[in-house]
Structures are given as C-alpha cells and as structure tokens.
Amino acid sequence: RFQTESEEFMKYSIKVTEAKNQEGNVKGFATLVFGDSFKITNIAILENREKDSLFVSMPRYKSSERDENGGTIYKDVCNPITAEFRKELYDNILEAFEQVKASDGQEFKTEKGEMEMPEFSVTVTPYEREGSNIRGLARVYFEDNFIVNNVSILQGKDKLFVAMPSYKTKQTDEQGKAVYQDVCYPVTKEFREKLYTEIVNQYEIAKSKKEEQALGSAKNQAQSQAKDQFMKADGKDLPFR
C-alpha cells in the first residue's frame, strides 16, 4: 500500500495494492479517503495494452440505459468533477501504484497530521415508485471537486434512512441471500451523522417544494377549467369579455 496526501485541493489520502492476478488488464486497486472521513473503494488501475499504458477507472454501476447496439451502459458511481482535480488525483494514484510495484508490494505510509473533515453539499431528487421503499436519490459534492451519485433515501419502519452506493459480492448470508458491500461510505461516526442528517434534511426540503409545485399546478388547472365552463352556455362558446 502507498499513501499520499494532496496539498493543492482538499485533503485526501490514497492506498494502492497490486492485483493478485496480473494476467488480466486489472493491475491494481486503489482506495481514496477524504479527510479521514469518507472512503471510496474499488478504484481500478487498468492496462491499455494497445497504448502500453495504465489508466484509472472509478467504480461503476450497471444502468438501465442502452447504447446504439443495445448494449448495457455503465456509469461512474463517483468521479472527479473538474479536469484539474481529475488529473491530480489520477496522476497520484498511478504514481503510488508505480512505487508499490518497484517495492515488490512493500507497504508504504506517510506520516500525516490531523486532517479536517471535508466540506460537502447535497442535492436530492424526491423519487417514489409503487412497491418500492425508495423515497429519493441524492448526490454528494465534496468541495466542488468530487461527486458521489446513487445515494438512496429509503423508508424504514419508523423513519427514513440513507443507503450508500453498493455492489453485489459473491458472498451470501445465513439465509442464502447475496451480501452487498458499500462502494463508498463515511468512515467516522461523526461524519456519518453529519452527512446523513444533511441528506435527509435536503430530502424534506426538496419534497416540500415538489408538493408545493404540484399543488400550485393543480390550482391553476382548476382555475382554467372553471373559466372554460364559465365561458360556455348550452354547449356554445360565448364571446370573451
């Protein structure tokens, strides 16, 4: 593992390991942590054999969309927003990987001081489907440099709760059901409470706005229908006055 920190953008650390099987195009994996508070896993380091170079691939999910040939479209669960931060982050990941390779897998660490909790903002789209307990989908923006998609707001028995993006593992539980693992998630209890509280609060705000818009639209439609009825008599249109 190799760990590094960013000075130019928000504080983060990287840990890199080599893939056990080096025969495929997956050469390694990276884990990214923002300010000791939020972790992103399953970042792949892949080989482009045609160009004889390595590149970084963020964790992805299978969407319901199809391409021109009917193939499945995969989308990033999370990714850098700006070109500048993407270049810095991916360069650091690849540099860390090269140092791990040069050391034959030896573990590398750098001493670091206390890292501040990252700043973030949240947007939520209320979303309901019959027979589903999903109430909304959220996006989390870390200091306008990095976005996490597919965060779900779910209805529990007594209250709403937040579910981070996850993937299906090969493991099963005691009942034989598939075990899911979070792709990215808060590391500390303090940050988890802060993040999840903000997500639920933003959901409530977005839900209220959506209900107000629906009420206003229904009111306008009712007024329009009342005017149409007022302008007609015995099935004939009356001149507007």
Side-chain angles (χ1 to χ4, degrees):
R1 295 188 299 173
F2 178 85
Q3 188 163 298
T4 184
E5 293 181 23
S6 166
E7 297 295 339
E8 186 176 346
F9 294 96
M10 59 181 165
K11 296 284 187 178
Y12 64 84
S13 60
I14 300 168
K15 293 180 182 178
V16 173
T17 57
E18 287 189 272
K20 293 180 179 179
N21 182 4
Q22 289 290 313
E23 294 180 2
N25 68 327
V26 179
K27 298 303 179 182
F29 295 96
T31 298
L32 174 66
V33 181
F34 293 131
D36 274 354
S37 299
F38 192 86
K39 180 180 288 188
I40 295 103
T41 66
N42 278 35
I43 301 172
I45 299 164
L46 306 176
E47 180 185 34
N48 185 330
R49 292 178 178 173
E50 292 181 0
K51 297 182 178 180
D52 191 26
S53 62
L54 298 173
F55 65 97
V56 175
S57 177
M58 300 303 294
R60 315 187 88 189
Y61 69 95
K62 184 178 180 180
S63 75
S64 58
E65 299 178 24
R66 293 288 184 271
D67 60 22
E68 297 176 352
N69 301 318
T72 301
I73 294 178
Y74 287 84
K75 295 184 177 182
D76 288 345
V77 171
C78 49
N79 55 272
I81 298 172
T82 65
E84 294 81 8
F85 183 64
R86 181 185 303 110
K87 183 178 187 313
E88 188 214 71
L89 176 63
Y90 289 6
D91 285 352
N92 280 337
I93 290 173
L94 294 177
E95 179 186 354
F97 180 69
E98 291 299 334
Q99 294 200 39
V100 168
K101 280 177 58 181
S103 67
D104 293 328
Q106 181 182 346
E107 184 172 309
F108 282 83
K109 288 185 179 181
T110 57
E111 295 297 325
K112 60 180 181 178
E114 184 176 350
M115 298 178 75
E116 295 180 358
M117 190 180 294
E119 296 294 327
F120 67 90
S121 61
V122 174
T123 61
V124 177
T125 302
Y127 170 90
E128 290 192 26
R129 178 183 292 175
E130 187 176 349
S132 172
N133 65 338
I134 298 178
R135 295 294 178 263
L137 294 174
R139 288 178 172 177
V140 182
Y141 298 83
F142 287 96
E143 300 187 14
D144 295 326
N145 287 319
F146 195 91
I147 184 172
V148 176
N149 303 295
N150 273 32
V151 179
S152 300
I153 298 98
L154 306 176
Q155 181 62 59
K157 290 184 179 180
D158 303 317
K159 62 180 181 179
L160 296 169
F161 66 95
V162 176
M164 300 305 297
S166 61
Y167 66 95
K168 186 177 180 180
T169 69
K170 296 180 180 180
Q171 299 175 329
T172 56
D173 60 18
E174 296 176 353
Q175 285 76 38
K177 295 181 180 180
V179 173
Y180 286 81
Q181 180 73 42
D182 286 346
V183 174
C184 45
Y185 52 90
V187 176
T188 65
K189 179 181 178 182
E190 180 185 6
F191 188 70
R192 181 171 61 252
E193 291 177 351
K194 182 177 180 179
L195 176 63
Y196 288 7
T197 298
E198 179 64 12
I199 290 172
V200 172
N201 286 344
Q202 289 301 319
Y203 164 75
E204 297 292 356
I205 292 172
K207 182 184 176 184
S208 295
K209 287 182 179 179
K210 185 177 180 181
E211 290 173 348
E212 288 175 4
Q213 291 172 353
L215 185 62
S217 178
K219 185 177 180 180
N220 291 336
Q221 186 177 1
Q223 290 175 341
S224 177
Q225 290 175 346
K227 180 184 281 188
D228 289 343
Q229 292 175 355
F230 180 75
M231 295 299 296
K232 292 184 178 181
D234 297 329
K236 296 180 179 179
D237 290 344
L238 292 177
F240 179 79
R241 294 186 181 183

